[in-house]
Amino acid sequence: MKRKNEIEQELDQKEFENDIGRDLAQEYRKIDIEEKLRQDANKYVVGLMYFITTLVFFEGLWWLISTSMAKMTVGFLGAFFSAMTPFMHISFLIMAIYSAFTWKSPIIYVLKLTPNGW
């Protein structure tokens, strides 16, 4: 019985090590792909692409949420969304500028919050 437990522990340990090895290999592949993409890319074009996609995505999301919520509440939230719109535009602009300089889009973080985890 003792030997059986030892064998099970060894198998669990090997399985854990294999999982870690696969995860590390996958992370290295992702890093390698990102490095290859960054080497050949024009940094201004990529920055502009991140800026535009971030700005358009969040502005569209804000428009979708504000119009649908204002219609669902028969206009009661319309004044709230109208008051919040300038602040949201400024925050979206800051996020877009940040993503253009860092080449990391906040869209990825938003999509990871979805149920399937994109």
Side-chain angles (χ1 to χ4, degrees), residues 47-60 62 84-102 104-107:
L48 182 67
M49 185 177 65
Y50 273 105
F51 178 83
I52 291 172
T53 55
T54 301
L55 193 62
V56 168
F57 177 81
F58 284 107
E59 289 290 345
W62 174 253
M84 288 298 294
T85 298
F87 300 109
M88 296 306 289
H89 288 312
I90 291 170
S91 65
F92 297 152
L93 189 62
I94 290 170
M95 284 193 302
I97 291 170
Y98 175 77
S99 70
F101 282 111
T102 60
K104 292 182 181 178
S105 180
I107 298 171

Side-chain angles (χ1 to χ4, degrees), residues 64-100:
L64 183 67
I65 291 171
S66 64
T67 55
S68 63
M69 291 300 288
K71 288 180 182 178
M72 279 192 254
T73 59
V74 194
F76 291 120
L77 288 178
F80 171 74
F81 283 114
S82 295
M84 288 298 294
T85 298
F87 300 109
M88 296 306 289
H89 288 312
I90 291 170
S91 65
F92 297 152
L93 189 62
I94 290 170
M95 284 193 302
I97 291 170
Y98 175 77
S99 70

Side-chain angles (χ1 to χ4, degrees), residues 5-83:
N5 289 338
E6 290 176 3
I7 291 173
E8 286 179 0
Q9 287 178 348
E10 288 176 15
L11 287 174
D12 289 341
Q13 181 67 25
K14 287 180 183 179
E15 185 177 332
F16 179 71
E17 290 172 358
N18 288 338
D19 290 342
I20 290 176
R22 271 188 261 125
D23 291 342
L24 281 174
Q26 192 175 30
E27 287 296 320
Y28 283 135
R29 271 187 254 126
K30 283 183 184 178
I31 291 170
D32 188 41
I33 290 170
E34 287 180 12
E35 287 177 359
K36 285 179 183 177
L37 289 175
R38 288 180 187 223
Q39 286 175 355
D40 298 332
N42 183 344
K43 64 180 181 177
Y44 300 112
V45 172
V46 174
L48 182 67
M49 185 177 65
Y50 273 105
F51 178 83
I52 291 172
T53 55
T54 301
L55 193 62
V56 168
F57 177 81
F58 284 107
E59 289 290 345
L61 188 63
W62 174 253
W63 176 80
L64 183 67
I65 291 171
S66 64
T67 55
S68 63
M69 291 300 288
K71 288 180 182 178
M72 279 192 254
T73 59
V74 194
F76 291 120
L77 288 178
F80 171 74
F81 283 114
S82 295

